[in-house]
């Protein structure tokens, strides 16, 4: 496994690989790898000749009051996990390489980026789209792997790939969960014991929604209200949003008579967690 920090060097290697007719799978990450990332790597290893992982904590997607500085960076462990999982190339750029002095070009995520998580994290998805566009240009992969846990991110990146004509396929892989339903996230390590006990309420609320739909309930407001009631029983839980939206524009829907996304963000103490499920009708 090679670890490369220079974008030009990496781009040269990946172009040479492509010229030989080999396929490249790419997983962009901010490190602090967990089994969710490893499931994406596993799928990429299965599908492709060469697998590239990027590890870069992207400052452009953090708000001024967010956890950029204290975001976990267990680099040694991450590299060991990549090596064990069969990754061929790790792209590990420095911040000043990705955003050198004078950097001034940004991708905007438009209306999709202003909804759901974009309401409390203005600018976040523009930062995500910008770094992913840069990474796609550097790596030039055949397939990009993303996790369903970040559903809005996956929808925005898929839209950007279409809008900006990136020649890459997207594979969105299922959320990996702990036994009690908690979706794996690099931020789960911030939860203390009591918060960790309360955190599965997000997935419990989603299961409740799924069972209400399975039982014939189609009224989005009623489903949201039942989910909110369940979450509000947890002392440390503070709801950011619970929403039922369409899968393309992320607009709220009133009646569930089409496939849709049920998504929520909840603060457990100070830790903001997200989760979602797709309902196919
Ligand atoms: O999901 C993440 O870890 C990040 O948002 C991504 C896609 C690596 C961009 O920095």
């Amino acid at each position: 496994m090679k670890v490369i920090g220079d974008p030009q060097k990496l781009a040269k290697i990946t172009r040479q690989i492509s010229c030989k007719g080999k396929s490249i799978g790419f997983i962009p990450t901010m490190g602090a790898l967990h089994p969710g990332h490893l499931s994406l790597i596993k799928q990429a290893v299965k599908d492709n000749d060469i697998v590239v992982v990027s590890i870069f904590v992207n400052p452009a997607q953090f708000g001024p009051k967010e956890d950029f500085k204290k975001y976990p960076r267990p680099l040694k462990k991450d590299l060991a996990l990549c090596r064990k999982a069969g990754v061929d190339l790790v792209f590990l750029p420095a911040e000043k390489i990705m955003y050198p002095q004078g950097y001034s070009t940004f991708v905007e995520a438009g209306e999709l980026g202003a909804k759901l998580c974009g309401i409390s994290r203005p600018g976040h998805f523009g930062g995500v789209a910008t770094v992913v566009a840069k990474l796609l240009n550097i790596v030039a992969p055949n397939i990009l792997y993303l996790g369903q846990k970040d559903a809005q991110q996956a929808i925005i990146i898929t839209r950007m790939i279409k809008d900006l004509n990136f020649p890459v396929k997207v594979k969105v892989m299922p959320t990996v969960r702990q036994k009690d339903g908690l979706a794996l996230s690099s931020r789960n390590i911030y939860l203390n014991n009591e918060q960790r006990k309360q955190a599965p309420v997000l997935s419990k609320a989603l299961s409740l929604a799924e069972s209400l739909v399975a039982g014939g309930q189609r009224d989005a407001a009623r489903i949201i209200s039942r989910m909110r009631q369940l979450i509000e029983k947890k002392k440390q839980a503070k709801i950011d949003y619970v929403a039922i939206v369409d899968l393309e524009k992320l607009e709220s829907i009133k009646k569930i008579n089409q496939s849709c996304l049920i998504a929520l963000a909840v603060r457990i103490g100070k830790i903001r967690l997200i989760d979602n499920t797709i309902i196919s009708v």
Side-chain angles (χ1 to χ4, degrees), residues 28-30 37 56 58 61 124 128 131-132 146 150 153 157:
T29 82
M30 298 207 299
H37 297 109
F56 178 62
N58 173 34
Q61 69 188 74
H124 167 69
V128 171
V131 81
V132 173
L146 298 169
D150 297 300
Q153 167 170 285
I157 292 174

Side-chain angles (χ1 to χ4, degrees), residues 207-218 222-223 226-227:
S207 302
L208 170 66
E210 282 166 353
S211 63
L212 289 169
V213 176
Q217 181 59 270
R218 292 288 178 270
R222 279 173 198 242
I223 294 169
R226 290 283 304 275
M227 291 173 75

Side-chain angles (χ1 to χ4, degrees), residues 27-33 53-57 75 78-79 82 90-93:
I27 302 100
T29 82
M30 298 207 299
L33 303 182
V53 168
S54 63
I55 300 179
F56 178 62
V57 185
L75 184 59
D78 286 346
L79 292 178
C82 285
V90 173
F91 181 45
L92 185 68

